[in-house]
């Protein structure tokens, strides 16, 4: 390559600019190295009266994709103003570039239709049904792997990762005791105050003990605890597993011949199933303590009378019914949290979206399962 070719620059000349049939002579190298100059030359072209424009390319000495895009933009701009544009004297070696650019022109943006359509509504319902079906499959697959892992642990207990289970139990249980106890204390206080306010009108404020005892032990204690665990531990599980998925640590476990479900999911599920019944019991005690405070200060029922009435109103069956729901709700929260974590993509946006989805789905399913348990126990006469 000689010095003259190195110093050669892109050039553009317009002949008969004011006529209806102007000619644009393009010459020199139209390559990436000349893109800044070539773009400035294209921007200077203004042919307001042009009807038929000829772009003369016989003087082009070098051409690459960048230069072809600029020439295509020049041609498209003239055609947009209503002119007919023809490329003349295109060398055979440059023709494939123009043909390739023509096939990769982005489509014109069109706004989505926002009108009401029966077909669009049915399509949206179908898409949501497909998403729900895939979510159900993923949860059931993790549940199956969890069952297989437990069955294998019965024959080989060393496969259970005791250290991991205890570490997750400590985080899910001990770390959640303050917030669970405080929230349950306030809930018991509110239920007792509201119940006593309305029952006092009928002279039956003593029955507020029955109301609080049955409601807290059977329903509210385990339900509120499961919701708080879903927001606290469930979101943490999704974020942890999702972060590992983003950093390809789960793929690394597979490469090492380790099963991610056995290492990441089973310890978390077992820890949560052990922690939730214990947290439920703490929540029951805290809620009853809050109710006792209100009954003493607001309705004049001393703690001794409160405990005596509570003993008469509720039985051990009420407590067992509430505690029996704990492991099942913990299993649901853990399954949803781990399933959403394994679906995280490679972006922070995906991690945030799946974490939010995990909490929402877990809370929804906890409420649904609590309702199913209520129907089942009522049918069984318990």
């Amino acid at each position: 390559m000689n010095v003259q070719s190195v110093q050669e620059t892109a050039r553009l000349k317009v002949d008969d600019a004011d006529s209806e049939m102007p000619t644009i002579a393009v010459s020199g190298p139209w390559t990436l190295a000349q893109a800044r100059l070539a773009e400035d030359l294209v921007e200077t072209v203004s042919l307001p009266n042009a009807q038929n424009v000829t772009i003369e390319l016989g003087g082009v000495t070098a051409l690459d994709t960048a230069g072809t895009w600029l020439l295509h933009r020049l041609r498209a701009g003239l055609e947009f103003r209503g002119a007919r544009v023809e490329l003349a004297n295109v060398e055979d070696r440059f023709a494939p570039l123009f043909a390739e650019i023509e096939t990769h022109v982005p489509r014109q943006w069109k706004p989505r239709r926002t009108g009401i359509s029966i077909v669009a509504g049915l399509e949206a319902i179908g898409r949501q049904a497909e998403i729900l079906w895939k979510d159900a499959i993923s949860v059931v697959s993790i549940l199956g792997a969890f069952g297989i892992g437990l069955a294998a642990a019965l024959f080989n207990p060393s496969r259970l990762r005791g250290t991991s289970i205890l570490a997750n139990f400590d985080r899910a249980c001990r770390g959640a005791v303050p917030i669970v106890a405080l929230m349950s204390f306030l809930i018991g206080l509110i239920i007792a105050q509201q119940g006593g306010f309305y029952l006092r009108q009928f002279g039956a404020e003593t029955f507020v003990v029955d109301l609080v005892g049955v409601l807290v032990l059977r329903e509210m204690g385990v339900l509120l605890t499961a919701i708080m665990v879903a927001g606290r531990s469930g979101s943490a599980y999704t974020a942890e597993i999702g972060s590992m998925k983003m950093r390809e640590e789960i793929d690394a476990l597979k490469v090492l011949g380790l099963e991610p479900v056995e290492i990441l999911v089973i310890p978390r599920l077992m820890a949560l199933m052990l922690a939730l019944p214990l947290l439920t019991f703490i929540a029951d005690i805290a809620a009853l303590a809050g109710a006792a405070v209100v009954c003493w200060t607001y309705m004049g029922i001393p703690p001794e009378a409160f405990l005596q009435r509570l003993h008469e109103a509720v039985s051990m069956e009420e407590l067992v019914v509430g505690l029996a729901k704990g492991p099942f709700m913990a299993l649901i929260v853990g399954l949803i949290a781990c399933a959403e974590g394994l679906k995280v993509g490679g972006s922070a946006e995906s991690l945030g979206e799946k974490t939010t989805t995990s909490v929402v789905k877990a809370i929804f399913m906890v409420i649904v399962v609590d309702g199913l348990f209520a129907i089942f126990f009522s049918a069984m006469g318990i």
Side-chain angles (χ1 to χ4, degrees):
M1 182 179 295
N2 54 33
V3 177
Q4 184 178 0
S5 63
V6 171
Q7 296 178 347
E8 191 177 8
T9 60
R11 294 184 297 276
L12 186 148
K13 180 182 179 182
V14 180
D15 296 329
D16 301 327
D18 296 329
S19 67
E20 295 183 356
M21 302 179 63
T23 301
I24 301 176
V26 180
S27 59
W30 281 65
T31 59
L32 183 62
Q34 301 287 326
R36 181 64 180 271
L37 175 60
E39 185 174 11
D40 293 338
L41 293 174
V42 170
E43 293 294 336
T44 60
V45 176
S46 177
L47 304 173
N49 301 323
Q51 299 294 328
N52 293 280
V53 181
T54 301
I55 300 179
E56 176 62 48
L57 300 175
V60 176
T61 58
L63 187 67
D64 62 4
T65 307
T68 310
W69 268 113
L70 289 173
L71 294 173
H72 176 80
R73 192 174 78 180
L74 173 62
R75 179 181 180 181
L78 294 172
E79 290 179 343
F80 182 76
R81 299 186 191 122
R84 295 182 60 184
V85 182
E86 179 183 357
L87 301 179
N89 297 324
V90 180
E91 295 188 22
D92 294 339
R93 57 178 177 150
F94 299 148
L97 281 174
F98 287 100
E100 189 69 19
I101 291 297
E102 290 292 339
T103 60
H104 287 82
V105 176
R107 296 181 179 179
Q108 185 178 3
W109 178 81
K110 294 182 180 180
R112 294 185 61 183
R113 297 178 59 186
T114 58
I116 299 175
S117 173
I118 297 177
V119 176
L122 294 176
E123 180 184 1
I125 294 174
R127 292 183 183 276
Q128 291 299 321
E130 182 182 8
I131 293 174
L132 291 175
W133 175 251
K134 291 181 178 179
D135 290 343
I137 292 176
S138 63
V139 170
V140 171
S141 64
I142 294 178
L143 179 61
F146 176 64
I148 294 173
L150 289 183
L154 293 177
F155 298 97
N156 187 9
S158 61
R159 297 188 62 176
L160 281 179
R161 300 177 178 273
T163 303
S164 180
I165 294 174
L166 290 177
N168 284 284
F169 176 80
D170 181 71
R171 288 193 306 161
C173 185
R174 186 175 62 86
V177 167
I179 183 63
V180 169
L182 176 61
M183 188 67 67
S184 300
F185 180 85
L186 296 176
I187 292 297
L189 188 147
I190 293 170
I191 294 174
Q193 191 276 332
Q194 291 294 310
F197 176 78
Y198 287 101
L199 291 176
R200 175 177 289 180
Q201 303 176 18
F202 307 99
E205 60 268 18
T206 307
F207 290 102
V208 73
V209 182
D210 304 56
L211 172 65
V212 173
V214 175
L215 185 60
V216 167
L217 295 180
R218 289 184 68 98
E219 299 293 338
M220 298 302 296
V222 64
L223 182 60
L224 291 175
T225 304
I227 290 175
M228 284 186 281
V229 167
R232 185 181 181 275
S233 300
S235 60
Y237 289 174
T238 303
E240 291 169 0
I241 296 177
S243 298
M244 296 182 68
K245 184 76 178 298
M246 291 173 58
R247 295 194 295 263
E248 299 182 353
E249 295 178 14
I250 294 180
D251 296 332
L253 291 175
K254 295 179 180 178
V255 171
L256 294 173
L258 302 175
E259 182 59 41
V261 174
E262 183 177 341
I263 296 175
L264 302 177
V265 177
I266 292 179
R268 286 173 168 81
L269 291 181
M270 294 191 66
L272 210 58
M273 292 176 68
L274 294 173
L276 192 53
L278 183 57
L279 290 174
T280 300
F281 180 76
I282 295 173
D284 292 342
I285 299 300
L288 293 176
V293 170
V294 170
C295 290
W296 189 14
T297 58
Y298 184 70
M299 290 172 284
I301 302 176
E304 296 82 3
F306 180 88
L307 292 175
Q308 181 179 359
R309 183 63 188 176
L310 182 64
H311 180 69
E312 297 173 356
V314 300
S315 62
M316 186 60 67
E317 182 181 275
E318 313 295 339
L319 178 62
V320 172
V321 167
L323 295 179
K325 301 177 184 178
F328 295 96
M329 292 188 175
L331 181 62
I332 291 171
V333 171
L335 287 173
I336 294 176
C338 295
E340 293 298 325
L342 292 173
K343 291 193 294 185
V344 171
S347 64
E349 180 183 4
S350 175
L351 178 61
E353 178 185 352
K354 296 304 179 184
T355 303
T356 304
T357 303
S358 168
V359 175
V360 173
K361 288 182 178 180
I363 293 176
F364 174 77
M365 288 305 301
V366 160
I367 296 174
V368 171
V369 170
D370 184 72
L372 295 177
F373 268 113
I375 296 173
F376 172 76
F377 287 132
S378 297
M380 298 295 294
I382 300 177

